Amino acid sequence: MDSYDNVRLARNCSLKFCTRPSSLESGTTVWSCGIFLARFLLALLPDYHSVHSVSSEEWSVSLPKVKSKTALKILRAFKNARVIDLGTGTGIVGFACIGLNPIEVVCSDIAVVVKSNLIQTNKEINSYVLHSMNPKHQIRITPLSWSVDASDEIKQLNPPFDVICGADIVYSFEAVDVLVKTISHLSTSKTIVFISYENRDPTVWLRFINMMNDEGFVLKFVFPTMGNESLSNAKDFVCNEMDDQSDNEIFVPKIAVYLFMNKNHKLK
């Protein structure tokens, strides 16, 4: 049975999402990481009054404060960019990206989620708000599997993309391997990758970081939640650019947005 969740992404931006809590597919629910990444992205806009503090039965976090110069650089990266949201689920992150003026947003997920028409339903429900966020917005919904057999699906997407986003998509060793390969196939040396991750298994996260390094992507920024419980050892991690990464140091906030870029690429 379908249910509907109203999610406030900014003080002047609320979206309504059709969800299927009884479904066995994780992509049919609005998860905390998706809400956090969507709010984080919209909070970069100078004309959006962001939700700086969020409280609910499930989670309680505060958005990180991003330096104005860094926010401006990220906004420049999104403007007129091709963006793909991996594991889009209900579409929440992809919809938020619309507000940052990309030329196109591709919302992708496994075929069973796409065929459920949940993303399309949410697109239609929120059509007025999405139009007000960006009158020229283009959203494409497409199936994409993270597997060695997904080459045809990837070709149909006509890569590369300028920005890749994903919320709560790093969850197992097996998924990490194919996810990183998929990111590699969709990107170039100038692509930037935003991943929101909730700390469940730091060893899985470390494997993801190492495999991204192998593909030429390094962790450049970490934007953690600002609650007292959110930082495990990482005062230097708060919205700072990462100068060095050590396999022996695993700093994993409770929930955060991580920005990966090619080691030779810088935000402008």
Side-chain angles (χ1 to χ4, degrees):
M1 181 179 295
D2 292 351
S3 62
Y4 293 86
D5 296 332
N6 290 300
V7 181
R8 188 160 55 98
L9 298 182
R11 296 195 189 282
N12 56 350
C13 179
S14 294
L15 296 178
K16 187 174 185 179
F17 291 93
C18 176
T19 64
R20 294 187 182 132
S22 60
S23 171
L24 297 178
E25 294 295 335
S26 61
T28 59
T29 301
V30 178
W31 296 100
S32 299
C33 270
I35 296 173
F36 184 73
L37 180 53
R39 284 174 169 156
F40 168 82
L41 292 172
L42 289 177
L44 298 172
L45 294 167
D47 55 344
Y48 265 77
H49 300 290
S50 62
V51 180
H52 290 292
S53 182
V54 181
S55 296
S56 72
E57 294 180 358
E58 296 183 358
W59 65 314
S60 179
V61 299
S62 296
L63 291 175
K65 295 180 180 178
V66 183
K67 294 178 181 178
S68 58
K69 288 184 179 180
T70 302
L72 182 59
K73 290 177 181 179
I74 294 175
L75 291 174
R76 285 175 182 162
F78 269 90
K79 188 174 183 179
N80 296 322
R82 296 190 70 220
V83 179
I84 184 167
D85 180 25
L86 302 178
T88 193
T90 58
I92 185 169
V93 173
F95 294 174
C97 289
I98 289 298
L100 278 64
N101 294 313
I103 194 171
E104 177 189 34
V105 173
V106 175
C107 293
S108 70
D109 213 315
I110 57 176
V112 66
V113 174
V114 172
K115 290 179 180 178
S116 73
N117 286 324
L118 194 66
I119 311 168
Q120 180 63 35
T121 297
N122 288 330
K123 177 184 174 183
E124 294 170 359
I125 290 173
N126 296 290
S127 60
Y128 177 80
V129 178
L130 293 174
H131 180 78
S132 66
M133 291 167 64
N134 182 353
K136 297 181 179 180
H137 77 272
Q138 293 186 41
I139 298 178
R140 183 153 54 112
I141 302 168
T142 186
L144 177 60
S145 303
W146 310 338
S147 71
V148 294
D149 300 322
S151 57
D152 288 341
E153 290 180 340
I154 291 175
K155 287 180 181 178
Q156 292 178 11
L157 292 173
N158 191 28
F161 289 86
D162 303 295
V163 181
I164 298 174
C165 294
D168 218 357
I169 58 176
V170 181
Y171 50 83
S172 71
F173 285 108
E174 296 77 12
V176 163
D177 293 6
V178 290
L179 171 59
V180 172
K181 289 297 182 183
T182 300
I183 290 174
S184 180
H185 291 318
L186 295 171
S187 62
T188 68
S189 60
K190 295 183 178 180
T191 300
I192 63 175
V193 182
F194 287 91
I195 302 292
S196 62
Y197 173 74
E198 185 172 358
N199 182 17
R200 297 187 182 92
D201 187 344
T203 60
V204 172
W205 181 243
L206 180 61
R207 181 178 178 85
F208 177 74
I209 291 176
N210 288 337
M211 291 196 68
M212 288 289 280
N213 288 345
D214 292 342
E215 295 295 332
F217 286 96
V218 295
L219 180 57
K220 288 292 185 76
F221 287 89
V222 178
F223 306 97
T225 56
M226 301 301 289
N228 293 331
E229 77 287 2
S230 63
L231 301 181
S232 58
N233 223 341
K235 290 184 179 178
D236 314 288
F237 254 45
V238 183
C239 306
N240 279 351
E241 186 166 2
M242 306 303 298
D243 296 322
D244 189 23
Q245 298 170 51
S246 171
D247 292 350
N248 297 319
E249 297 179 356
I250 306 176
F251 300 112
V252 186
K254 179 180 178 181
I255 184 171
V257 173
Y258 299 82
L259 173 54
F260 293 84
M261 295 187 293
N262 183 277
K263 59 185 177 181
N264 296 318
H265 182 56
K266 292 185 178 182
L267 292 172
K268 299 180 180 179

